[in-house]
Amino acid sequence: MANFVNTLIIELFKNPLFWILLVLGILTTIYYKKFRGFMGEFWVKTELNKLPKDKYIVLNNIMIKSSKGSHQIDHIVISKYGIFVIEMKNYYGLITGDEYKDKWTQHLGKNKYYFNNPIHQNYGHVKALEELLQIDKDKLISIICISNQANVKVTAKNVTQLDLLNGLIKSYNKEIINENMVELKNKIESGNILDKEARNEHVRNIRTTIKETENKIQNNICPKCGGKLVERNGKYGKFIGCSNYPKCKYTSQIIK
């Protein structure tokens, strides 16, 4: 029996397919998050491309600069019914949160993981486009799109999932854009940063900001206003909040 097993292992190692699958498995494990992110962007792009070409112009992976810094925008849809600014989150599991909380929660079994409220993140993207296009902010519509794999329990407007994305966009049927759509597209593309190093710098800045925020929270400092973070009791249990409430409404994760 031992000889048979040894022979089988030797033959397996000689098979090129085994090594290909092994390498693919290792790479998938290492780059799993990046791969999920890439696929999420791909599926949103595919879905948006189903919109009628005579009514909607789709732009993907746009990076622009504003007076507040650089902003990487996942997807922009230009139409007479508004300019849709779409932030894609390729999460799975149960997602909970609301429009005003600084953190949303991803529930995976008994574990909870916290991430920045994407509505707040996308607000910065909307303001950057408003500045670039010199257009009324009411003509810019923020949408958060979450993977179909997630169970979304979020209390907020314009938080949707991939299958419902185009339907949400089409639900806006009142013409509010007087500007020429092609000119708006050209203006966005002319402001799009294509330089690879500049895009890498944007990623590094985000990581630095996240690290600085985490350090402040660990030291009980509010990352929004610099006030002291204190333990509070809420409707759903204990949480960390800013001592300057209600002037500052920052909250951190729930205390288990």
Side-chain angles (χ1 to χ4, degrees), residues 51-254:
L51 292 167
K53 300 295 188 293
D54 59 329
K55 292 184 178 181
Y56 301 92
I57 297 175
V58 179
L59 299 175
N60 305 292
N61 192 20
I62 298 293
M63 179 177 286
I64 58 176
K65 273 196 173 182
S66 73
S67 56
K68 301 292 185 180
S70 58
H71 303 263
Q72 193 277 323
I73 305 173
D74 292 337
H75 309 278
I76 301 171
V77 178
I78 304 167
S79 75
K80 287 294 182 182
Y81 315 108
I83 299 173
F84 301 90
V85 187
I86 302 167
E87 175 70 18
M88 172 61 188
K89 293 300 180 185
N90 199 26
Y91 290 117
Y92 54 96
L94 173 63
I95 306 298
T96 60
D98 64 46
E99 184 176 354
Y100 303 102
K101 285 184 178 178
D102 286 283
K103 297 285 185 180
W104 285 7
T105 309
Q106 180 186 30
H107 305 258
L108 296 176
K110 294 182 179 180
N111 297 320
K112 295 180 181 179
Y113 303 92
Y114 302 91
F115 59 96
N116 291 329
N117 185 336
I119 294 176
H120 297 175
Q121 178 186 358
N122 212 33
Y123 176 78
H125 300 164
V126 169
K127 295 300 291 182
L129 271 179
E130 179 187 347
E131 184 178 315
L132 174 66
L133 299 175
Q134 293 295 295
I135 197 170
D136 191 316
K137 63 180 181 180
D138 293 333
K139 297 180 179 182
L140 294 159
I141 302 163
S142 173
I143 293 179
I144 307 301
C145 181
I146 300 177
S147 164
N148 289 331
Q149 295 175 307
N151 179 15
V152 181
K153 302 290 184 182
V154 172
T155 306
K157 182 182 179 182
N158 285 0
V159 177
T160 190
Q161 291 183 267
L162 183 59
D163 284 348
L164 304 174
L165 177 59
N166 285 354
L168 175 59
I169 292 173
K170 290 179 179 179
S171 71
Y172 288 83
N173 50 28
K174 181 180 178 181
E175 292 193 7
I176 59 174
I177 300 291
N178 299 319
E179 293 82 359
N180 183 280
M181 289 169 53
V182 175
E183 289 180 3
L184 290 172
K185 168 183 174 289
N186 292 340
K187 201 165 187 178
I188 293 172
E189 288 184 330
S190 66
N192 186 25
I193 300 171
L194 298 174
D195 180 69
K196 187 176 181 180
E197 179 54 33
R199 286 181 170 247
N200 289 338
E201 180 66 21
H202 171 78
V203 173
R204 288 194 292 268
N205 289 339
I206 289 176
R207 289 173 178 168
T208 299
T209 301
I210 291 173
K211 188 174 182 180
E212 290 174 350
T213 298
E214 289 174 347
N215 288 337
K216 287 181 179 179
I217 293 172
Q218 288 175 1
N219 289 287
N220 294 321
I221 300 172
C222 176
K224 183 174 286 187
C225 74
K228 184 179 179 181
L229 293 178
V230 295
E231 182 179 317
R232 295 184 179 278
N233 291 310
K235 182 178 179 181
Y236 301 103
K238 294 181 178 180
F239 66 97
I240 296 294
C242 182
S243 59
N244 291 329
Y245 180 86
K247 186 177 180 180
C248 176
K249 297 181 180 180
Y250 176 83
T251 59
S252 187
Q253 69 251 36
I254 298 170

